[in-house]
Amino acid sequence: MADVSNTRQRKHWQVPGIALMRAWAKAPDMGHEPRRVDIEAEYSLRGLKPPYELVRAEMEAITQATAGAIEDMDEVDRERIENQILSLRSGEKAQAN
């Protein structure tokens, strides 16, 4: 995909990317879909962000489902997830520097 223009990359997101986000919103427990992650990585390599505004409702549904799942966890599992999130964020910050 290295030779794909930014305009074509945006269209590439719009077709499978939107479909993948809609599928994730319908089944939030399915987790990360490798094809969606690949599309997002391509944007990142270009210094761009995917057009998330096209899937705002889907992202909100995923966020709400995630928040609900965390609320339903017991304290031990909640703390484990919080530690994993903090670890991931620390790793992301380290990579950015």
Side-chain angles (χ1 to χ4, degrees), residues 29-87:
D29 57 330
M30 80 178 214
H32 289 286
E33 216 295 339
R35 292 174 294 170
R36 194 193 82 255
V37 173
D38 287 348
I39 294 168
E40 291 171 342
E42 182 67 31
Y43 271 91
S44 178
L45 290 170
R46 294 168 184 264
L48 303 171
K49 289 189 175 192
Y52 290 120
E53 69 276 2
L54 300 175
V55 289
R56 189 170 288 133
E58 289 81 359
M59 291 182 70
E60 180 61 30
I62 293 163
T63 300
Q64 288 179 358
T66 302
I70 291 171
E71 283 181 26
D72 292 342
M73 291 179 178
D74 63 32
E75 188 61 36
V76 173
D77 285 339
R78 192 176 302 128
E79 186 174 324
R80 182 180 51 83
I81 293 295
E82 288 173 1
N83 288 334
Q84 288 176 347
I85 291 169
L86 289 173
S87 177

